[in-house]
Amino acid sequence: MIIVLRAGATDEDVRQIEETIKGKGLTAHISRGVERTIIGAIGDERKLDPDAFEGLSVVEKVLRILAPFKLVSREFRKEDTVITVNGKTVGGKALALFAGPCSVEGRDMMVGIGERVASAGATFLRGGAFKPRTSPYAFQGLGEEGLKYLAEARDRTGLPVATELMDPRDIDLVARYADVIQIGARNMQNFRLLTEVGKLDKPVILKRGMSATIQEWLMSAEYIASEGNQKIILCERGIRTYETATRNTFDVSSIPVVKSLSHLPVIADPSHAAGKMALVEPLAAAAIAAGADGLMIEVHHQPEKALSDGPQSLKPDAFTRMVERLRKVAEAVGRTL
Ligand code: PEP
Ligand code: MN
């Protein structure tokens, strides 16, 4: 918070304001200009009431410098947050690699794809058991049966699993099987859902809403953090623009912007951004170069027969080759994959 004093404010006025700031546990930085004095209050600004300063006759104006998101902001924590799940990390030097099918379609496919992506270097498995589909007639996911196959794939590969939670009524069920809970783009502003996952002691991937600004996205993260759960992984998955050549427009700029505004790790999902398998690799490379902390990639053994998102899914061989090439990009920016 910055407090601008009127010309003519005395040393005693400055001292009193300084005392109030220090009394709340913040530090006061005083800058005496030729015309007026400015006091910067540094620390947890929530402890200060701007009205209490604005009401003083010596105060010209009070400027709040803290972003509306607080717990997830860089101002709140300078160091990057690193989230560890069963020995695998998100944030830090090593890139996280979430990979697997869009939907869990059966036991053999989930375990089979899981083994393939694990040997290619994936660090987490993904697969949806509850699917947010545009059409009510499209495949909606296998529900608990799908969660069981995911757990089986975890047992076979040793990799933690991430899966989407769509409804607060399913939270106990999903949390029983999942190591990481995904909140999908369509639910980024489902505040009830955010509040509920905020009460869990489990990492949450918060995908960017398809029409959400960066500030709205971070405010949604704040909902989760304000309930106590600060294990939040932000995921850029493309936004809706006028462009129709791709499924969404991959907002690569959000990665460095969010990393400057927040201490939370940011991963990128080029599969949903691109909507086309041929575009997944260049977008993934761009994301790593821009500073992403990891990737989420859809992989399917028979994309042409996939029950959801086949056109953007890579075959296991293509995924393996892509990861090998991306390792060089990671290395170029001081990361490992
Ligand atoms: C998904 O990960 O399969 C998915 C539905 O993603 P999004 O919420 O980003 O559309
Ligand atoms: Mn999908």
Side-chain angles (χ1 to χ4, degrees):
M1 182 183 288
I2 293 176
I3 302 160
V4 183
L5 303 188
R6 291 187 198 284
T10 63
D11 285 352
E12 179 55 20
D13 294 328
V14 174
R15 200 192 57 77
Q16 280 185 11
I17 293 172
E18 198 181 353
E19 289 293 295
T20 311
I21 293 168
K22 285 185 181 161
K24 299 281 183 190
L26 287 86
T27 44
H29 289 249
I30 297 162
S31 156
R32 290 179 205 275
V34 185
E35 301 251 321
R36 47 185 102 256
T37 300
I38 294 172
I39 305 177
I42 311 297
D44 186 356
E45 197 179 305
R46 289 169 301 168
K47 294 184 182 145
L48 294 180
D49 175 11
D51 294 343
F53 296 111
E54 242 149 22
L56 299 174
S57 58
V58 291
V59 172
E60 185 178 305
K61 60 183 171 202
V62 175
L63 306 169
R64 295 178 72 89
I65 48 166
L66 205 70
F69 39 90
K70 299 172 194 302
L71 299 171
V72 305
S73 74
R74 269 278 172 216
E75 286 154 312
F76 182 76
R77 189 180 298 142
K78 292 272 163 290
E79 317 77 50
D80 288 343
T81 288
V82 179
I83 296 168
T84 306
V85 196
N86 305 344
K88 305 292 179 196
T89 55
V90 188
K93 188 175 177 192
L95 297 177
L97 184 54
F98 292 78
C102 178
S103 301
V104 182
E105 297 172 9
R107 184 208 163 272
D108 292 350
M109 71 83 79
M110 190 60 231
V111 172
I113 295 172
E115 285 176 336
R116 293 296 308 274
V117 298
S119 62
T123 52
F124 291 83
L125 299 184
R126 66 144 285 150
F130 293 95
K131 294 304 302 177
R133 304 304 301 278
T134 301
S135 166
Y137 308 116
F139 176 61
Q140 304 286 311
L142 295 179
E144 184 168 9
E145 189 189 345
L147 295 173
K148 287 183 176 155
Y149 301 147
L150 258 183
E152 213 174 321
R154 169 182 50 212
D155 295 343
R156 291 286 282 267
T157 59
L159 298 185
V161 296
T163 197
E164 179 160 353
L165 171 70
M166 287 172 52
D167 187 321
R169 289 171 295 188
D170 298 322
I171 193 165
D172 292 337
L173 175 69
V174 173
R176 210 159 45 240
Y177 292 95
D179 301 298
V180 179
I181 290 187
Q182 176 171 318
I183 301 296
R186 292 156 190 80
N187 273 317
M188 189 206 82
Q189 285 191 314
N190 182 337
F191 300 117
R192 179 74 198 281
L193 194 58
L194 301 177
T195 301
E196 292 305 314
V197 296
K199 293 176 188 151
L200 296 177
D201 181 23
K202 226 175 237 297
V204 176
I205 295 174
L206 179 64
K207 294 190 114 186
R208 182 178 181 182
M210 56 182 90
S211 302
T213 64
I214 290 171
Q215 177 153 319
E216 286 163 343
W217 187 18
L218 290 171
M219 290 308 295
S220 289
E222 189 75 15
Y223 261 89
I224 301 172
S226 66
E227 293 294 327
N229 187 355
Q230 302 218 8
K231 295 178 191 165
I232 305 163
I233 300 158
L234 298 164
C235 180
E236 166 60 53
R237 46 78 73 204
I239 51 175
R240 183 162 286 182
T241 68
Y242 51 81
E243 182 55 69
T244 55
T246 49
R247 183 176 179 187
N248 291 287
T249 297
F250 183 50
D251 183 10
V252 72
S253 58
S254 80
I255 297 165
V257 170
V258 169
K259 288 202 68 74
S260 72
L261 294 173
S262 173
H263 54 83
L264 295 175
V266 185
I267 64 169
D269 171 354
S271 305
H272 288 88
K276 295 182 174 127
M277 59 181 96
L279 296 178
V280 171
E281 180 167 340
L283 300 191
I288 296 172
D293 295 301
L295 298 170
M296 175 176 280
I297 309 285
E298 285 188 339
V299 179
H300 197 286
H301 59 304
Q302 284 179 304
E304 59 290 348
K305 294 204 176 138
L307 297 181
S308 60
D309 289 351
Q312 67 196 35
S313 300
L314 299 180
K315 288 188 176 177
D317 281 343
F319 173 74
T320 305
R321 288 193 296 270
M322 178 186 79
V323 172
E324 279 161 16
R325 288 189 290 266
L326 291 177
R327 285 204 169 103
K328 297 195 183 79
V329 182
E331 202 185 314
V333 292
R335 311 294 286 264
T336 57
L337 178 65

